[in-house]
Amino acid sequence: MFEKNADILEKMGADITTGEIKQQPELWQETLEIYKKNEEAIHAFLEKIKKTTDRKIRVIFTGAGTSQYVGDTLVPYLTRNGDNHSFSFESIGTTDIVGAPYDYLLPEEPTILVSFARSGNSPESLAAVAAADKIVKQLYHITITCAADGQLALAAENEENILLLLMPSKSNDKGFAMTGSFTCMTLAALLIFDQESLEQKTAYVQAMQELGHEVIQREAEIEAVLARDYHRIVYLGSGSLSGLTREAQLKVLELTAGKIATVFDSSLGFRHGPKSFVDQQTLLFVFINNDPYTRKYDVDILNEVHGDGIAAAIVGIGQGEAASFAGTPFTYSNQEVLLPEAYLVLPDILFAQTVALHSSIKVGNTPDTPSPTGTVNRVVQGVTIHEL
């Protein structure tokens, strides 16, 4: 798909999504530059909040759908590597906050609500902000969005308690599925809250870009796996890569319009029932963590399912030695900079986006407009927000 010309892709209804997947490594560099440009303002904003209280500040990552999964992916890594003296990190969907606000918002807890949004126009995104403003007495906002003209971005103008970070303009995906918007917003929040030095973060982003380009260049290997007869896909991982599995399976669900069934879980959790989903027409993908302890559990499940002989293919995606697990390896060639799990997320999801793109074509769908009935839309419709 990445080597096809624009005319062919347009006839397939795939030119937008294909281009938006392929361009992501360049957008990651642009996101890093946006962070560098705003680093002083970000630091000043957070330090100002810290000085207002002696208590630990809740940082709630929120969004709907893919935007929620940004937080699901970040929290495990930041729980270990963020400023845990000052902050506690949580991921709560706007759909949960809006539906039951008093279950999730604590009036007396100093809170930073970090809103992720591609368009900034989803009704739940706006309603979650409004609910938090009404309930939480000491509230601050960080808005990370891809649309300068979206309602969330416009609401941040001239507001002292709101820090706005606009992502690269090309990350405002025109296709149905969120791709570059997900990876850029994930990277932006990671750069804000990770305690690593700027020099180290820069090195990680450079390595991520290499791995992302490698996924594009090795598309044929992914195609070879997808040449099998399959009707189900499983994604597994641990830590932040477990959080990523939900976004990976959603891409398949969205781009195939549900024609391929999907399941996600943690590598250890999979045995507790969901493993019964696997049959001879199932592709199982495991995102392998670079933490040497956590990695063992990822490898164990790969070897177990391979030994069971119950799946059409078992694929391990990671930076470690391919010989350490059974099944088909997709091992990144860059072994010099072993990425922490939250940075490994970005090339890994590019791999999963590629799987979803090819699967969409395989079932006869058009990736740019995968919902023929219009029951789901690029910006969600049909939501009634009830007065709080």
Side-chain angles (χ1 to χ4, degrees), residues 121-124 176 373-384:
N121 293 323
S122 294
E124 300 98 334
F176 175 85
T373 62
T375 53
V376 288
N377 303 276
R378 182 180 177 276
V379 178
V380 72
Q381 299 176 14
V383 180
T384 300

Side-chain angles (χ1 to χ4, degrees), residues 160-211:
E160 290 186 3
N161 72 328
I162 303 177
L163 175 68
L164 172 65
L165 276 185
L166 291 172
M167 295 296 93
S169 59
K170 288 184 178 180
S171 71
N172 188 10
D173 310 302
K174 305 306 178 189
F176 175 85
M178 291 175 65
T179 53
S181 51
F182 172 81
T183 56
C184 289
M185 291 192 296
T186 300
L187 178 56
L190 187 54
L191 294 171
I192 291 171
F193 289 105
D194 189 4
Q195 290 290 89
E196 290 281 8
S197 68
L198 179 58
E199 181 181 11
Q200 184 62 75
K201 292 173 184 175
T202 300
Y204 287 155
V205 172
Q206 290 173 347
M208 279 166 30
Q209 288 180 280
E210 287 184 29
L211 270 55

Side-chain angles (χ1 to χ4, degrees), residues 45-46 49 57-64 67-68 70-71 74 78 87-94 97 105 111-117 125 128-129 132 139-145 152 161-163 165 185-186 188-190 192-193:
F45 184 79
L46 295 177
I49 297 171
I57 300 159
R58 285 183 92 191
V59 176
I60 298 177
F61 296 120
T62 194
S67 296
Q68 176 186 340
V70 174
L74 290 170
L78 291 176
F87 303 122
S88 64
F89 298 99
E90 303 173 55
S91 178
I92 307 173
T94 56
I97 292 172
L105 299 173
T111 302
I112 302 174
L113 190 71
V114 183
S115 297
F116 299 110
S125 296
V129 168
L139 180 70
Y140 306 88
H141 296 274
I142 298 177
T143 300
I144 301 177
T145 182
L152 276 183
N161 72 328
I162 303 177
L163 175 68
L165 276 185
M185 291 192 296
T186 300
L190 187 54
I192 291 171
F193 289 105

